[in-house]
Amino acid sequence: QSTVSWDQFLYIFLRFNLLSKIELAQFLFFVIAKEVKSWTVHYLTATQLQEFYDFYREDKSAKEPLPKSFDASGISFARLQLSRYYMPDFVELCHRFGVLLNPVVHLQRCTQQFLPSRSFWDDYDRIESFNRKLTLEFFMIKKTHVNLRGEAPLRESVDLLLPETLGGVPVQPGMTQEDA
């Protein structure tokens, strides 16, 4: 384990508090990959998501009940369309099920409330024309890779939401999932 200097801590802290909701979802993607000890950071499986969010399922025997905004017991990852979630897919999943992102949003708001103050972050003027794509180097002061065109925007896909948009009914009669 390495230690973080004060300058690095401040840099990480400010970068975290400046994240938008889409960027927080990307951050959470990396956190989950690390927490479940994923052997790749390119995608998360439905099993890994289930393992991570088992902590956020309501336990009737617990001393203190889980806040409703954190309760992920209504989500069964095995029953969702995808078995493998790349970062854009996970961001879409967080928009579809807001409860997945709520613990990280709560953490961000708690840190903003006390350091320096909530009013500071409410008055902060965000001038962002796009949502950045977070990489593993996002929170590092000294970067090993430099993007010549600046920070890359997040490219979103709509694969996950496509069945809901089209109604989940095959376009051609008699067509099955295997034919698609």
Coordinates of all heavy atoms in Angstrom, one line a residue, residues 35 60 62 91:
E35 N -13.5 -3.6 -6.2 CA -14.1 -4.2 -5.0 C -14.3 -5.7 -5.3 O -14.1 -6.5 -4.3 CB -15.4 -3.5 -4.6 CG -16.0 -4.0 -3.4 CD -15.1 -3.7 -2.1 OE1 -14.4 -2.7 -2.2 OE2 -15.3 -4.4 -1.1
K60 N -34.0 -7.7 6.8 CA -35.0 -7.4 7.9 C -34.4 -7.6 9.3 O -35.0 -7.0 10.2 CB -36.1 -8.4 7.7 CG -36.8 -8.4 6.3 CD -37.6 -7.2 6.1 CE -38.4 -7.3 4.8 NZ -38.6 -6.1 4.1
A62 N -31.5 -6.6 10.3 CA -30.4 -5.6 10.6 C -30.9 -4.6 11.7 O -32.1 -4.4 11.8 CB -30.1 -4.8 9.4
V91 N -23.3 2.9 -17.3 CA -23.8 4.3 -17.1 C -25.3 4.3 -17.5 O -26.1 4.9 -16.7 CB -23.0 5.3 -18.0 CG1 -23.7 6.7 -18.0 CG2 -21.6 5.4 -17.5

